[in-house]
Amino acid sequence: MEAEKSASDTITFLGTGGARIMVATQILASGGMWLNLSGTEILVDPGPGCIVQSTKRKLRAEKLSAIILSHRHLDHSGDINVMTEAMTQGGLKHRGRLFLPADALENEPVIFSYLRNYLEGVEILEEGKTYSTGEVSFTTPVRHIHPVETYGMLFKTKKHRFSYITDTRYFDALTKSYGGELLILNVVFSEPRPQIDHLSVPDAKRLISELKPKAAILTHFGMSMWRARPWELAEKLSRETGVRVISARDGMRFDLSQLNG
Ligand SMILES: [Zn+2]
């Protein structure tokens, strides 16, 4: 039973809030996503509160193989130092890898220099490259349109392929770059706000319709999204696209085996 359990692919949402006001108020948490992919544990975008949200759920940082940062904005990187320290057991263990865009290490690096020495490796994310950690590989297919260097990820495990489209303005290449059975989308706005480089619900609809995953999960909600009741918007998107669309909840664990068959 235990072997079967560790062989499943799960995604735990340690937070579903995004952007400044949501992070400042913590109406929704902002801890990122904890992936357990056939036993390889990976933390993506450890925003403020990640250490609290993960320990509360008995997720253990010393089991992480890697931390991946899509971009340096605070709502994604706020807890990267404490999570790195936890992953390396305070530096007692030389272990774990950190993946991040080059500009997250330039000028004001998001990670303290003393922590870098604790890690097994630091790898720089670049457009079109593929990386691996444990049993998992992931590609960063395209640089997003966002104020800082930003990459989403297309993950490949033994059993599944799924995409994480992190913060970005909508652009057509997104539909050619991502794929898989599951699409996770950071949807900050309910209505389009063309002056700001974030996805809105109509953008999500376009991406889901084009990419046709088996399921899509909306997350990283700003205040407008929250006020518009994301679960209702998800239901509407399901009807409109014919794809099962779910709005993530803080602490939700999604098992990818639901998508089999
Ligand atoms: Zn951002």
Side-chain angles (χ1 to χ4, degrees):
M1 253 337 255
E2 196 51 42
E4 204 174 292
K5 206 174 162 193
S6 69
S8 70
D9 289 345
T10 63
I11 300 168
T12 303
F13 291 82
L14 298 175
T16 57
R20 275 166 262 191
I21 308 298
M22 199 49 103
V23 170
T25 58
Q26 291 288 303
I27 293 169
L28 296 172
S30 50
M33 294 185 293
W34 193 292
L35 315 181
N36 188 333
L37 306 174
S38 312
T40 298
E41 299 190 35
I42 301 171
L43 175 61
V44 181
D45 284 346
C50 182
I51 187 73
V52 176
Q53 300 299 331
S54 57
T55 51
K56 193 161 96 177
R57 297 190 168 83
K58 310 248 182 312
L59 295 166
R60 292 168 57 194
E62 69 269 22
K63 288 188 165 181
L64 286 169
S65 297
I67 298 173
I68 309 173
L69 186 67
S70 68
H71 67 296
R72 62 173 298 142
H73 281 159
L74 190 65
D75 49 344
H76 298 252
S77 69
D79 271 11
I80 197 166
N81 286 294
V82 68
M83 294 313 295
T84 301
E85 191 156 291
M87 177 167 71
T88 59
Q89 295 181 44
L92 291 174
K93 292 270 164 63
H94 187 72
R95 65 179 301 280
R97 310 187 86 76
L98 184 61
F99 297 88
L100 71 187
D103 81 345
L105 292 177
E106 290 160 6
N107 300 323
E108 286 176 312
V110 295
I111 180 110
F112 294 135
S113 53
Y114 80 92
L115 289 170
R116 291 183 61 169
N117 303 323
Y118 296 170
L119 291 159
E120 209 179 292
V122 176
E123 294 193 47
I124 303 300
L125 299 177
E126 287 173 46
E127 182 171 84
K129 284 186 75 171
T130 299
Y131 306 84
S132 68
T133 181
E135 299 291 321
V136 180
S137 72
F138 69 93
T139 303
T140 43
V142 66
R143 183 174 171 163
H144 286 193
I145 302 176
H146 202 55
V148 296
E149 193 177 354
T150 304
Y151 300 100
M153 292 128 222
L154 174 54
F155 288 94
K156 210 169 140 191
T157 75
K158 282 182 181 161
K159 288 181 246 132
H160 300 104
R161 282 171 78 240
F162 65 96
S163 293
Y164 167 48
I165 304 187
T166 187
D167 295 6
T168 186
R169 164 184 292 276
Y170 177 87
F171 59 108
D172 285 335
L174 290 173
T175 61
K176 290 169 192 71
S177 305
Y178 292 99
E181 300 122 89
L182 173 70
L183 192 59
I184 301 162
L185 294 156
N186 281 4
V187 184
V188 172
F189 299 130
S190 54
E191 303 289 337
R193 289 179 65 181
Q195 71 282 19
I196 305 178
D197 292 336
H198 273 300
L199 296 175
S200 63
V201 170
D203 297 327
K205 182 179 168 185
R206 201 161 158 187
L207 287 165
I208 294 165
S209 309
E210 293 271 340
L211 287 163
K212 296 184 181 61
K214 287 186 180 171
I217 300 178
L218 315 180
T219 187
H220 209 64
F221 307 132
M223 290 303 287
S224 73
M225 222 18 218
W226 183 238
R227 288 195 194 105
R229 299 168 175 254
W231 57 95
E232 288 179 8
L233 299 176
E235 234 180 76
K236 188 161 174 268
L237 283 175
S238 298
R239 285 197 301 272
E240 291 170 349
T241 62
V243 172
R244 179 180 165 213
V245 182
I246 301 157
S247 81
R249 289 172 285 104
D250 286 354
M252 179 177 95
R253 179 167 300 175
F254 185 85
D255 191 329
L256 274 85
S257 65
Q258 290 183 42
L259 305 173
N260 296 348

